[in-house]
């Protein structure tokens, strides 16, 4: 592959300045991508962008807000002229069983973990259709298929996300736009900050997961629904 082709590629990543999002941002910077980083905290976002360097656009956004998602995608396309890769990474987690889960928790979980990726994908498809190319990757979770205790809202939201990705993949067949979902097991991220006791020694490092996601992206023939479990 011509290095110039790599240097011209553009990746847009939500939830980009911490955890898996930060690991993905770093690895794609090293790969020569120009980046659009989306996140809620302006100070943290700009600080992280300076840290990784390169050709970076930062957009303060909340994926629960459709207009924010549209602004993120539109700003990326305007700045770089194209979008080769959208990674729907932003997500939230909270442990709750059927007796505990609240209406507010369900609403927030689905807005971030399902509606956000739909809003961003909807805007990105408009850009990628004009290019006849692109890749929309959403970060799922093994919680969607392992049916874990106390994962009522989170597991349901990630299962819904996988369903959306499958439908979108079918809808976009023949357009040149690749669609996939990558579902890792537990990682050592701030996602579990509300219940740090849930963190386990065998949880995966974000850099390891980001590397596996990069391998998936580099392999166009890979399956659309990838599950990455913790190494034993």
């Amino acid at each position: 592959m011509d290095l110039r082709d790599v240097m011209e590629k553009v990746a847009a990543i939500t939830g980009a300045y911490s955890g898996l999002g930060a690991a993905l941002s770093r690895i794609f910077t090293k790969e020569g991508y120009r980046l659009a980083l989306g996140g809620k905290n302006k100070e943290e976002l700009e600080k992280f962008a300076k840290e990784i360097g390169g050709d970076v656009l930062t957009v303060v956004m909340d994926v629960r807000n459709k207009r924010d998602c549209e602004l993120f995608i539109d700003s990326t396309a305007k700045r770089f002229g194209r979008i080769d890769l959208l990674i729907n990474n932003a997500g939230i987690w909270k442990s709750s069983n059927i007796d505990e889960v609240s209406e507010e928790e369900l609403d927030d979980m689905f807005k971030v973990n399902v509606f956000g990726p739909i809003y961003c994908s909807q805007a990105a498809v408009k850009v990628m259709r004009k290019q006849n190319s692109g890749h929309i990757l959403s970060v799922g979770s093994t919680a969607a298929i392992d049916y874990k205790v106390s994962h009522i809202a989170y597991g349901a939201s990630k299962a819904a996300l996988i369903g959306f990705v499958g439908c979108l993949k079918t809808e976009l067949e023949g357009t040149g736009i690749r669609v996939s979902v990558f579902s890792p097991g537990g990682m050592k991220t701030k996602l579990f900050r509300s219940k740090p006791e849930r963190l386990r020694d065998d949880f995966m490092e974000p850099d390891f997961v980001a590397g596996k996601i990069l391998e998936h992206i580099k392999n166009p023939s890979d399956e659309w629904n990838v599950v990455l479990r913790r190494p034993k």
Side-chain angles (χ1 to χ4, degrees):
M1 180 181 292
D2 193 315
L3 181 60
R4 290 172 296 179
D5 293 334
V6 176
M7 292 296 292
E8 292 177 356
K9 286 192 173 182
V10 177
I13 305 172
T14 65
Y17 57 77
S18 65
L20 179 60
L24 288 166
S25 299
R26 291 190 185 98
I27 203 168
F28 281 103
T29 296
K30 292 177 182 177
E31 287 290 309
Y33 278 70
R34 294 177 290 172
L35 298 183
L37 309 180
K40 290 174 65 176
N41 188 304
K42 181 179 180 180
E43 183 178 338
E44 290 293 325
L45 189 61
E46 292 179 350
K47 177 182 177 182
F48 178 70
K50 290 179 181 178
E51 175 191 323
I52 63 173
D55 194 355
V56 179
L57 168 71
T58 59
V59 179
V60 178
M61 65 175 300
D62 184 340
V63 295
R64 294 173 295 184
N65 187 308
K66 184 177 181 180
R67 290 185 179 180
D68 279 10
C69 295
E70 291 171 343
L71 175 64
F72 176 57
I73 297 300
D74 291 346
S75 297
T76 303
K78 184 176 181 180
R79 166 74 175 270
F80 298 116
R82 62 184 296 109
I83 301 175
D84 298 285
L85 174 65
L86 166 65
I87 301 183
N88 290 311
N89 169 71
I92 59 173
W93 173 90
K94 186 177 180 182
S95 174
S96 58
N97 59 40
I98 193 64
D99 297 313
E100 298 170 334
V101 67
S102 66
E103 182 179 353
E104 180 182 4
E105 181 182 329
L106 282 166
D107 184 63
D108 206 34
M109 199 80 69
F110 272 77
K111 280 182 176 177
V112 175
N113 295 350
V114 185
F115 295 171
I118 292 175
Y119 295 151
C120 288
S121 299
Q122 190 174 39
V125 164
K126 295 177 183 178
V127 177
M128 293 178 177
R129 272 194 172 128
K130 294 177 182 177
Q131 304 168 176
N132 297 312
S133 66
H135 185 178
I136 297 173
L137 182 144
S138 296
V139 177
S141 170
T142 54
I145 55 177
D146 288 346
Y147 312 124
K148 299 175 181 178
V149 174
S150 300
H151 280 64
I152 291 294
Y154 183 72
S157 69
K158 288 299 187 177
L161 175 63
I162 293 172
F164 159 70
V165 172
C167 291
L168 183 63
K169 174 186 178 295
T170 301
E171 187 171 318
L172 294 179
E173 285 178 357
T175 65
I177 302 172
R178 181 183 175 191
V179 182
S180 63
V181 60
F182 196 99
S183 298
M187 289 182 287
K188 295 177 181 178
T189 72
K190 293 180 180 179
L191 198 67
F192 295 96
R193 59 183 172 270
S194 63
K195 289 197 175 184
E197 69 274 11
R198 295 295 294 267
L199 279 170
R200 292 172 44 174
D201 290 339
D202 64 345
F203 274 13
M204 296 177 285
E205 294 291 344
D207 287 343
F208 172 77
V209 177
K212 293 297 183 180
I213 290 176
L214 178 62
E215 290 178 12
H216 165 70
I217 289 169
K218 285 184 172 181
N219 183 7
S221 63
D222 203 4
E223 58 186 298
W224 71 271
N225 184 2
V226 180
V227 175
L228 177 66
R229 298 193 179 278
R230 299 193 299 270
K232 295 182 179 180

